[in-house]
Amino acid sequence: MALETNDIVLDADGEDLVKDGDFVVDDGKLDDCWIIFKLNKGGLKSDPILGPNLVTMMNGTTSNMKSVLKLNLERDGKEVKKLEINEGNIDFEI
């Protein structure tokens, strides 16, 4: 199971969230997940296998996409409790 991780929180655009001139620090576990979803294999030097390649999977089946996303989250040490893909939206709980 992934541990609670205090990190700089990202905004909706993936940029560091700043409030009153300071970075906002909170549990960054969900931000980690969205970053993983955006990765392609080879995009992360410390773990070149991590990355679901979502762009190449766009025409694939939803069940295949779910299993690849789940595998990548688990590879990063996250326990996936729920993962659903519906009309292009990813709904998950870790």
Side-chain angles (χ1 to χ4, degrees):
M1 179 164 101
L3 300 173
E4 295 283 324
T5 55
N6 282 336
D7 203 350
I8 296 173
V9 179
L10 303 177
D11 65 14
D13 297 322
E15 300 292 326
D16 296 339
L17 186 61
V18 177
K19 184 176 181 182
D20 298 326
D22 288 327
F23 293 112
V24 176
V25 177
D26 201 353
D27 182 22
K29 197 167 34 174
L30 289 179
D31 290 340
D32 290 349
C33 295
W34 292 116
I35 291 169
I36 290 169
F37 290 165
K38 293 178 184 180
L39 285 174
N40 290 318
K41 293 209 184 316
L44 188 63
K45 186 176 181 180
S46 61
D47 189 353
I49 297 173
L50 186 66
N53 293 326
L54 286 180
V55 174
T56 60
M57 293 176 50
M58 293 301 284
N59 294 326
T61 63
T62 301
S63 62
N64 184 43
M65 190 179 291
K66 281 175 59 172
S67 63
V68 170
L69 290 174
K70 186 173 188 258
L71 179 68
N72 276 269
L73 291 173
E74 289 172 348
R75 179 169 178 80
D76 193 52
K78 307 211 176 356
E79 180 183 350
V80 180
K81 297 176 184 171
K82 173 182 128 180
L83 179 68
E84 297 294 328
I85 300 174
N86 188 11
E87 297 180 16
N89 294 314
I90 301 170
D91 182 27
F92 68 99
E93 184 180 326
I94 53 172

